[in-house]
Amino acid sequence: MPAQKIVIYPGSFDPPTNGHLDLIERASKAFAHVVVATLRNDSKRPLFTVAERLEMLREVVEPFGNVSVDSFEGLLVDYARSRGAKLILRGIRAISDYEYELQMALMNRKLYPELETIFIPAAESYSYLSSRLVKEVSALGGEIDDVVPPTVARRLREKHSKL
Ligand code: ADP
């Protein structure tokens, strides 16, 4: 598949939210193939293990025929090279996201000049939504069923009942 047709959507996805899912759906319509790649990074002290995040992502991308799931560690540019991809997708929720995302995109361009970062704006209805907020609300017993896929809501409840 030509490199320009594959887009990598990297992130922590700890856990995936409806905001991530909205972006995946938009990308699946715009690109031939989307790889949702979760980062193996324990320094972020994730709530879900990489295996759990991969399982949740696999379940939520199942309806899309052209979306696959993977994990990576180390530099995103090295991972993109290894997958033969030249496009990275990131979501922008608010102007506050943009500053950090721009820095990262420019650093990645420096490291791998042929790599382009594409930004897709978040759906207005999910623009306030983050994995961190979902975890906080869920930990305190709040209702999260409208903002995450059902498999994620179930796993969040399980996690917090065990904590
Ligand atoms: P990271 O730790 O790499 O920021 P996240 O899982 O928090 O990982 O986010 C991955 C990508 O998804 C980022 O580009 C982020 O801006 C985007 N994103 C996160 N939440 C939403 C949302 N509600 N709507 C659209 N994009 C989002």
Tab-separated table of all heavy atoms in Angstrom, residues 65-117:
chain	number	residue	atom	x	y	z
A	65	GLY	N	-13.548	-1.773	8.486
A	65	GLY	CA	-12.764	-2.767	7.755
A	65	GLY	C	-11.329	-2.354	7.512
A	65	GLY	O	-10.469	-3.190	7.243
A	66	ASN	N	-11.048	-1.060	7.607
A	66	ASN	CA	-9.702	-0.588	7.234
A	66	ASN	C	-8.932	0.005	8.423
A	66	ASN	O	-8.060	0.857	8.242
A	66	ASN	CB	-9.800	0.438	6.094
A	66	ASN	CG	-10.560	1.694	6.509
A	66	ASN	OD1	-11.323	1.685	7.482
A	66	ASN	ND2	-10.341	2.784	5.792
A	67	VAL	N	-9.284	-0.419	9.627
A	67	VAL	CA	-8.583	0.097	10.819
A	67	VAL	C	-7.970	-1.083	11.569
A	67	VAL	O	-8.649	-2.073	11.839
A	67	VAL	CB	-9.550	0.861	11.757
A	67	VAL	CG1	-8.807	1.403	12.973
A	67	VAL	CG2	-10.253	2.000	11.016
A	68	SER	N	-6.678	-0.983	11.889
A	68	SER	CA	-6.055	-2.029	12.700
A	68	SER	C	-5.433	-1.401	13.943
A	68	SER	O	-5.339	-0.173	14.058
A	68	SER	CB	-5.010	-2.791	11.885
A	68	SER	OG	-4.011	-1.918	11.447
A	69	VAL	N	-5.003	-2.255	14.845
A	69	VAL	CA	-4.542	-1.805	16.162
A	69	VAL	C	-3.145	-2.369	16.397
A	69	VAL	O	-2.853	-3.489	15.994
A	69	VAL	CB	-5.557	-2.330	17.213
A	69	VAL	CG1	-4.994	-2.310	18.590
A	69	VAL	CG2	-6.846	-1.527	17.139
A	70	ASP	N	-2.302	-1.585	17.046
A	70	ASP	CA	-0.931	-2.034	17.302
A	70	ASP	C	-0.413	-1.295	18.535
A	70	ASP	O	-1.073	-0.387	19.058
A	70	ASP	CB	-0.062	-1.693	16.074
A	70	ASP	CG	1.258	-2.466	16.036
A	70	ASP	OD1	1.484	-3.326	16.901
A	70	ASP	OD2	2.068	-2.182	15.134
A	71	SER	N	0.765	-1.684	19.008
A	71	SER	CA	1.406	-0.915	20.083
A	71	SER	C	2.853	-0.682	19.675
A	71	SER	O	3.383	-1.388	18.826
A	71	SER	CB	1.350	-1.682	21.404
A	71	SER	OG	2.128	-2.844	21.313
A	72	PHE	N	3.447	0.338	20.279
A	72	PHE	CA	4.848	0.616	19.949
A	72	PHE	C	5.530	1.224	21.158
A	72	PHE	O	4.881	1.742	22.072
A	72	PHE	CB	4.972	1.555	18.738
A	72	PHE	CG	4.575	2.988	19.013
A	72	PHE	CD1	5.532	3.980	19.208
A	72	PHE	CD2	3.226	3.349	19.089
A	72	PHE	CE1	5.167	5.308	19.470
A	72	PHE	CE2	2.850	4.664	19.340
A	72	PHE	CZ	3.821	5.643	19.521
A	73	GLU	N	6.867	1.137	21.179
A	73	GLU	CA	7.611	1.878	22.205
A	73	GLU	C	8.743	2.624	21.522
A	73	GLU	O	9.100	2.325	20.388
A	73	GLU	CB	8.119	0.951	23.308
A	73	GLU	CG	8.944	-0.206	22.859
A	73	GLU	CD	9.136	-1.217	23.999
A	73	GLU	OE1	9.045	-0.842	25.172
A	73	GLU	OE2	9.383	-2.391	23.688
A	74	GLY	N	9.276	3.586	22.215
A	74	GLY	CA	10.356	4.369	21.617
A	74	GLY	C	9.794	5.498	20.773
A	74	GLY	O	8.663	5.940	20.968
A	75	LEU	N	10.607	5.934	19.825
A	75	LEU	CA	10.229	7.108	19.034
A	75	LEU	C	9.144	6.774	18.023
A	75	LEU	O	9.226	5.766	17.315
A	75	LEU	CB	11.450	7.623	18.267
A	75	LEU	CG	12.491	8.407	19.046
A	75	LEU	CD1	13.670	8.741	18.138
A	75	LEU	CD2	11.888	9.687	19.624
A	76	LEU	N	8.173	7.683	17.943
A	76	LEU	CA	7.093	7.509	16.962
A	76	LEU	C	7.654	7.460	15.540
A	76	LEU	O	7.191	6.675	14.708
A	76	LEU	CB	6.091	8.664	17.113
A	76	LEU	CG	4.953	8.703	16.112
A	76	LEU	CD1	4.103	7.435	16.199
A	76	LEU	CD2	4.093	9.937	16.337
A	77	VAL	N	8.671	8.275	15.259
A	77	VAL	CA	9.222	8.304	13.891
A	77	VAL	C	9.821	6.938	13.511
A	77	VAL	O	9.698	6.500	12.364
A	77	VAL	CB	10.267	9.430	13.696
A	77	VAL	CG1	9.609	10.795	13.768
A	77	VAL	CG2	11.408	9.321	14.679
A	78	ASP	N	10.442	6.276	14.491
A	78	ASP	CA	11.016	4.955	14.198
A	78	ASP	C	9.907	3.951	13.916
A	78	ASP	O	10.025	3.103	13.033
A	78	ASP	CB	11.886	4.458	15.367
A	78	ASP	CG	13.142	5.299	15.514
A	78	ASP	OD1	13.546	5.932	14.519
A	78	ASP	OD2	13.710	5.331	16.629
A	79	TYR	N	8.842	4.075	14.707
A	79	TYR	CA	7.708	3.173	14.490
A	79	TYR	C	7.090	3.434	13.104
A	79	TYR	O	6.800	2.488	12.361
A	79	TYR	CB	6.673	3.370	15.604
A	79	TYR	CG	5.420	2.586	15.366
A	79	TYR	CD1	5.431	1.195	15.437
A	79	TYR	CD2	4.225	3.223	15.029
A	79	TYR	CE1	4.286	0.456	15.184
A	79	TYR	CE2	3.077	2.489	14.781
A	79	TYR	CZ	3.118	1.108	14.856
A	79	TYR	OH	1.980	0.386	14.591
A	80	ALA	N	6.904	4.706	12.752
A	80	ALA	CA	6.306	5.044	11.445
A	80	ALA	C	7.163	4.463	10.318
A	80	ALA	O	6.645	3.854	9.378
A	80	ALA	CB	6.170	6.561	11.301
A	81	ARG	N	8.465	4.623	10.440
A	81	ARG	CA	9.376	4.063	9.422
A	81	ARG	C	9.185	2.551	9.318
A	81	ARG	O	9.095	2.007	8.227
A	81	ARG	CB	10.835	4.341	9.796
A	81	ARG	CG	11.334	5.669	9.317
A	81	ARG	CD	12.867	5.666	9.211
A	81	ARG	NE	13.335	7.020	9.014
A	81	ARG	CZ	13.696	7.842	10.002
A	81	ARG	NH1	13.691	7.417	11.251
A	81	ARG	NH2	14.087	9.061	9.732
A	82	SER	N	9.119	1.903	10.492
A	82	SER	CA	9.019	0.433	10.477
A	82	SER	C	7.717	-0.032	9.840
A	82	SER	O	7.645	-1.135	9.303
A	82	SER	CB	9.149	-0.133	11.898
A	82	SER	OG	7.935	0.042	12.601
A	83	ARG	N	6.670	0.817	9.904
A	83	ARG	CA	5.391	0.445	9.292
A	83	ARG	C	5.291	0.952	7.851
A	83	ARG	O	4.269	0.767	7.200
A	83	ARG	CB	4.218	1.056	10.090
A	83	ARG	CG	4.033	0.550	11.489
A	83	ARG	CD	3.499	-0.860	11.590
A	83	ARG	NE	2.374	-1.158	10.739
A	83	ARG	CZ	1.251	-1.781	11.126
A	83	ARG	NH1	1.117	-2.145	12.369
A	83	ARG	NH2	0.297	-2.067	10.269
A	84	GLY	N	6.321	1.650	7.387
A	84	GLY	CA	6.277	2.202	6.036
A	84	GLY	C	5.221	3.285	5.889
A	84	GLY	O	4.609	3.437	4.835
A	85	ALA	N	4.975	4.050	6.967
A	85	ALA	CA	3.929	5.085	6.934
A	85	ALA	C	4.562	6.472	6.931
A	85	ALA	O	5.620	6.685	7.539
A	85	ALA	CB	3.030	4.941	8.148
A	86	LYS	N	3.910	7.409	6.255
A	86	LYS	CA	4.421	8.781	6.215
A	86	LYS	C	3.400	9.793	6.725
A	86	LYS	O	3.561	10.999	6.543
A	86	LYS	CB	4.839	9.127	4.789
A	86	LYS	CG	6.050	8.284	4.373
A	86	LYS	CD	6.748	8.794	3.176
A	86	LYS	CE	8.071	8.044	3.025
A	86	LYS	NZ	8.501	7.981	1.649
A	87	LEU	N	2.332	9.300	7.324
A	87	LEU	CA	1.302	10.196	7.857
A	87	LEU	C	0.989	9.843	9.304
A	87	LEU	O	0.807	8.668	9.634
A	87	LEU	CB	0.011	10.072	7.044
A	87	LEU	CG	0.019	10.537	5.602
A	87	LEU	CD1	-1.323	10.217	4.959
A	87	LEU	CD2	0.304	12.035	5.511
A	88	ILE	N	0.932	10.889	10.116
A	88	ILE	CA	0.555	10.739	11.521
A	88	ILE	C	-0.715	11.545	11.731
A	88	ILE	O	-0.829	12.665	11.225
A	88	ILE	CB	1.663	11.338	12.434
A	88	ILE	CG1	2.980	10.583	12.276
A	88	ILE	CG2	1.234	11.387	13.900
A	88	ILE	CD1	2.940	9.147	12.699
A	89	LEU	N	-1.643	10.983	12.477
A	89	LEU	CA	-2.892	11.690	12.771
A	89	LEU	C	-2.929	12.054	14.251
A	89	LEU	O	-2.625	11.219	15.108
A	89	LEU	CB	-4.074	10.775	12.445
A	89	LEU	CG	-5.447	11.278	12.885
A	89	LEU	CD1	-5.846	12.512	12.093
A	89	LEU	CD2	-6.493	10.180	12.726
A	90	ARG	N	-3.319	13.291	14.530
A	90	ARG	CA	-3.558	13.687	15.917
A	90	ARG	C	-4.850	14.492	15.958
A	90	ARG	O	-5.249	15.100	14.968
A	90	ARG	CB	-2.395	14.550	16.459
A	90	ARG	CG	-1.080	13.799	16.540
A	90	ARG	CD	-0.992	12.812	17.681
A	90	ARG	NE	-0.896	13.499	18.966
A	90	ARG	CZ	-0.866	12.869	20.132
A	90	ARG	NH1	-0.945	11.551	20.192
A	90	ARG	NH2	-0.776	13.547	21.258
A	91	GLY	N	-5.481	14.492	17.125
A	91	GLY	CA	-6.733	15.238	17.281
A	91	GLY	C	-6.473	16.546	17.994
A	91	GLY	O	-5.611	16.624	18.869
A	92	ILE	N	-7.231	17.553	17.610
A	92	ILE	CA	-7.128	18.853	18.289
A	92	ILE	C	-8.491	19.162	18.908
A	92	ILE	O	-9.489	19.254	18.200
A	92	ILE	CB	-6.772	19.983	17.287
A	92	ILE	CG1	-5.445	19.704	16.591
A	92	ILE	CG2	-6.775	21.340	17.991
A	92	ILE	CD1	-4.224	20.130	17.332
A	93	ARG	N	-8.496	19.283	20.237
A	93	ARG	CA	-9.760	19.593	20.911
A	93	ARG	C	-9.935	21.087	21.092
A	93	ARG	O	-11.021	21.621	20.955
A	93	ARG	CB	-9.800	18.919	22.288
A	93	ARG	CG	-10.071	17.443	22.211
A	93	ARG	CD	-9.691	16.745	23.461
A	93	ARG	NE	-8.229	16.749	23.616
A	93	ARG	CZ	-7.587	16.039	24.513
A	93	ARG	NH1	-8.256	15.320	25.373
A	93	ARG	NH2	-6.279	16.074	24.569
A	94	ALA	N	-8.863	21.760	21.443
A	94	ALA	CA	-8.949	23.191	21.734
A	94	ALA	C	-7.592	23.787	21.391
A	94	ALA	O	-6.630	23.067	21.151
A	94	ALA	CB	-9.250	23.405	23.207
A	95	ILE	N	-7.522	25.091	21.413
A	95	ILE	CA	-6.277	25.760	21.049
A	95	ILE	C	-5.148	25.315	21.996
A	95	ILE	O	-3.985	25.237	21.618
A	95	ILE	CB	-6.477	27.288	20.990
A	95	ILE	CG1	-5.541	27.927	19.976
A	95	ILE	CG2	-6.341	27.956	22.314
A	95	ILE	CD1	-5.854	27.631	18.564
A	96	SER	N	-5.521	24.959	23.221
A	96	SER	CA	-4.515	24.512	24.196
A	96	SER	C	-3.823	23.226	23.736
A	96	SER	O	-2.659	23.003	24.047
A	96	SER	CB	-5.164	24.314	25.561
A	96	SER	OG	-6.316	23.528	25.420
A	97	ASP	N	-4.522	22.362	22.992
A	97	ASP	CA	-3.878	21.160	22.445
A	97	ASP	C	-2.862	21.548	21.380
A	97	ASP	O	-1.845	20.886	21.208
A	97	ASP	CB	-4.902	20.245	21.728
A	97	ASP	CG	-5.621	19.297	22.669
A	97	ASP	OD1	-5.148	19.130	23.801
A	97	ASP	OD2	-6.653	18.732	22.260
A	98	TYR	N	-3.190	22.608	20.650
A	98	TYR	CA	-2.434	22.919	19.442
A	98	TYR	C	-0.962	23.209	19.724
A	98	TYR	O	-0.083	22.762	19.000
A	98	TYR	CB	-3.083	24.096	18.708
A	98	TYR	CG	-2.382	24.405	17.406
A	98	TYR	CD1	-2.446	23.514	16.333
A	98	TYR	CD2	-1.624	25.563	17.259
A	98	TYR	CE1	-1.777	23.779	15.151
A	98	TYR	CE2	-0.958	25.827	16.082
A	98	TYR	CZ	-1.037	24.935	15.036
A	98	TYR	OH	-0.365	25.185	13.866
A	99	GLU	N	-0.713	23.927	20.804
A	99	GLU	CA	0.666	24.328	21.087
A	99	GLU	C	1.584	23.114	21.247
A	99	GLU	O	2.639	23.017	20.626
A	99	GLU	CB	0.695	25.137	22.378
A	99	GLU	CG	1.219	26.532	22.150
A	99	GLU	CD	1.126	27.344	23.401
A	99	GLU	OE1	0.033	27.901	23.655
A	99	GLU	OE2	2.126	27.410	24.128
A	100	TYR	N	1.140	22.165	22.053
A	100	TYR	CA	1.924	20.960	22.296
A	100	TYR	C	1.989	20.102	21.038
A	100	TYR	O	3.045	19.578	20.676
A	100	TYR	CB	1.283	20.186	23.454
A	100	TYR	CG	1.894	18.839	23.704
A	100	TYR	CD1	3.200	18.729	24.173
A	100	TYR	CD2	1.166	17.670	23.478
A	100	TYR	CE1	3.766	17.482	24.409
A	100	TYR	CE2	1.721	16.421	23.706
A	100	TYR	CZ	3.022	16.332	24.168
A	100	TYR	OH	3.569	15.104	24.388
A	101	GLU	N	0.855	19.981	20.364
A	101	GLU	CA	0.808	19.143	19.156
A	101	GLU	C	1.716	19.717	18.066
A	101	GLU	O	2.357	18.966	17.336
A	101	GLU	CB	-0.635	19.027	18.634
A	101	GLU	CG	-1.570	18.271	19.566
A	101	GLU	CD	-1.240	16.774	19.680
A	101	GLU	OE1	-0.574	16.233	18.782
A	101	GLU	OE2	-1.645	16.168	20.687
A	102	LEU	N	1.741	21.032	17.965
A	102	LEU	CA	2.597	21.661	16.952
A	102	LEU	C	4.070	21.395	17.260
A	102	LEU	O	4.853	21.031	16.380
A	102	LEU	CB	2.326	23.170	16.889
A	102	LEU	CG	3.147	23.928	15.846
A	102	LEU	CD1	2.772	23.470	14.431
A	102	LEU	CD2	2.929	25.435	15.963
A	103	GLN	N	4.447	21.538	18.531
A	103	GLN	CA	5.830	21.250	18.932
A	103	GLN	C	6.218	19.832	18.555
A	103	GLN	O	7.292	19.587	18.001
A	103	GLN	CB	5.957	21.343	20.458
A	103	GLN	CG	6.186	22.721	20.980
A	103	GLN	CD	6.415	22.666	22.491
A	103	GLN	OE1	6.176	21.662	23.149
A	103	GLN	NE2	6.865	23.772	23.036
A	104	MET	N	5.328	18.898	18.867
A	104	MET	CA	5.625	17.493	18.585
A	104	MET	C	5.722	17.244	17.086
A	104	MET	O	6.618	16.543	16.621
A	104	MET	CB	4.539	16.616	19.174
A	104	MET	CG	5.044	15.917	20.380
A	104	MET	SD	4.077	14.533	20.902
A	104	MET	CE	2.472	14.820	20.319
A	105	ALA	N	4.784	17.838	16.340
A	105	ALA	CA	4.776	17.633	14.886
A	105	ALA	C	6.065	18.176	14.272
A	105	ALA	O	6.661	17.552	13.390
A	105	ALA	CB	3.556	18.322	14.277
A	106	LEU	N	6.515	19.325	14.776
A	106	LEU	CA	7.728	19.923	14.201
A	106	LEU	C	8.973	19.127	14.591
A	106	LEU	O	9.885	18.968	13.784
A	106	LEU	CB	7.848	21.396	14.612
A	106	LEU	CG	6.756	22.295	14.010
A	106	LEU	CD1	6.900	23.721	14.504
A	106	LEU	CD2	6.775	22.255	12.482
A	107	MET	N	8.984	18.613	15.820
A	107	MET	CA	10.115	17.769	16.221
A	107	MET	C	10.135	16.498	15.391
A	107	MET	O	11.195	16.076	14.914
A	107	MET	CB	10.026	17.448	17.717
A	107	MET	CG	11.129	16.553	18.215
A	107	MET	SD	12.802	17.152	17.812
A	107	MET	CE	13.181	18.099	19.280
A	108	ASN	N	8.974	15.909	15.181
A	108	ASN	CA	8.911	14.692	14.367
A	108	ASN	C	9.345	14.972	12.930
A	108	ASN	O	10.003	14.142	12.305
A	108	ASN	CB	7.504	14.082	14.395
A	108	ASN	CG	7.239	13.366	15.713
A	108	ASN	OD1	8.175	12.933	16.386
A	108	ASN	ND2	5.983	13.266	16.091
A	109	ARG	N	9.003	16.151	12.432
A	109	ARG	CA	9.414	16.500	11.064
A	109	ARG	C	10.927	16.630	10.984
A	109	ARG	O	11.564	16.272	10.010
A	109	ARG	CB	8.737	17.807	10.637
A	109	ARG	CG	9.093	18.193	9.228
A	109	ARG	CD	8.499	19.528	8.869
A	109	ARG	NE	7.073	19.421	8.582
A	109	ARG	CZ	6.271	20.493	8.492
A	109	ARG	NH1	6.758	21.700	8.713
A	109	ARG	NH2	5.014	20.339	8.204
A	110	LYS	N	11.505	17.189	12.070
A	110	LYS	CA	12.960	17.339	12.126
A	110	LYS	C	13.634	15.964	12.089
A	110	LYS	O	14.644	15.756	11.434
A	110	LYS	CB	13.327	18.085	13.411
A	110	LYS	CG	14.762	18.331	13.631
A	110	LYS	CD	14.995	19.801	13.972
A	110	LYS	CE	16.446	20.174	13.882
A	110	LYS	NZ	16.831	20.683	12.588
A	111	LEU	N	13.039	15.021	12.836
A	111	LEU	CA	13.617	13.682	12.930
A	111	LEU	C	13.375	12.856	11.668
A	111	LEU	O	14.132	11.947	11.368
A	111	LEU	CB	13.010	12.935	14.131
A	111	LEU	CG	13.290	13.519	15.518
A	111	LEU	CD1	12.430	12.831	16.575
A	111	LEU	CD2	14.761	13.376	15.872
A	112	TYR	N	12.284	13.187	10.956
A	112	TYR	CA	11.880	12.375	9.792
A	112	TYR	C	11.153	13.311	8.834
A	112	TYR	O	9.920	13.406	8.864
A	112	TYR	CB	10.969	11.244	10.290
A	112	TYR	CG	10.506	10.248	9.268
A	112	TYR	CD1	10.936	10.249	7.941
A	112	TYR	CD2	9.596	9.251	9.637
A	112	TYR	CE1	10.483	9.312	7.033
A	112	TYR	CE2	9.137	8.305	8.729
A	112	TYR	CZ	9.577	8.347	7.436
A	112	TYR	OH	9.116	7.415	6.542
A	113	PRO	N	11.931	14.030	7.983
A	113	PRO	CA	11.342	15.117	7.190
A	113	PRO	C	10.184	14.702	6.280
A	113	PRO	O	9.315	15.518	5.999
A	113	PRO	CB	12.533	15.639	6.370
A	113	PRO	CG	13.732	15.262	7.166
A	113	PRO	CD	13.392	13.962	7.837
A	114	GLU	N	10.148	13.451	5.838
A	114	GLU	CA	9.053	13.054	4.929
A	114	GLU	C	7.746	12.761	5.668
A	114	GLU	O	6.713	12.536	5.044
A	114	GLU	CB	9.403	11.807	4.121
A	114	GLU	CG	10.602	11.944	3.208
A	114	GLU	CD	11.846	11.433	3.901
A	114	GLU	OE1	12.506	12.214	4.607
A	114	GLU	OE2	12.163	10.237	3.759
A	115	LEU	N	7.819	12.744	6.984
A	115	LEU	CA	6.623	12.414	7.777
A	115	LEU	C	5.746	13.660	7.947
A	115	LEU	O	6.237	14.697	8.376
A	115	LEU	CB	7.073	11.912	9.150
A	115	LEU	CG	6.017	11.303	10.051
A	115	LEU	CD1	5.582	9.939	9.529
A	115	LEU	CD2	6.575	11.130	11.465
A	116	GLU	N	4.473	13.558	7.600
A	116	GLU	CA	3.550	14.679	7.809
A	116	GLU	C	2.591	14.358	8.942
A	116	GLU	O	2.100	13.228	9.042
A	116	GLU	CB	2.712	14.961	6.555
A	116	GLU	CG	3.435	15.659	5.431
A	116	GLU	CD	3.986	17.044	5.781
A	116	GLU	OE1	3.718	17.573	6.884
A	116	GLU	OE2	4.704	17.587	4.939
A	117	THR	N	2.301	15.369	9.761
A	117	THR	CA	1.278	15.207	10.803
A	117	THR	C	0.003	15.873	10.319
A	117	THR	O	0.020	17.029	9.890
A	117	THR	CB	1.736	15.840	12.123
A	117	THR	OG1	2.958	15.216	12.528
A	117	THR	CG2	0.698	15.656	13.208
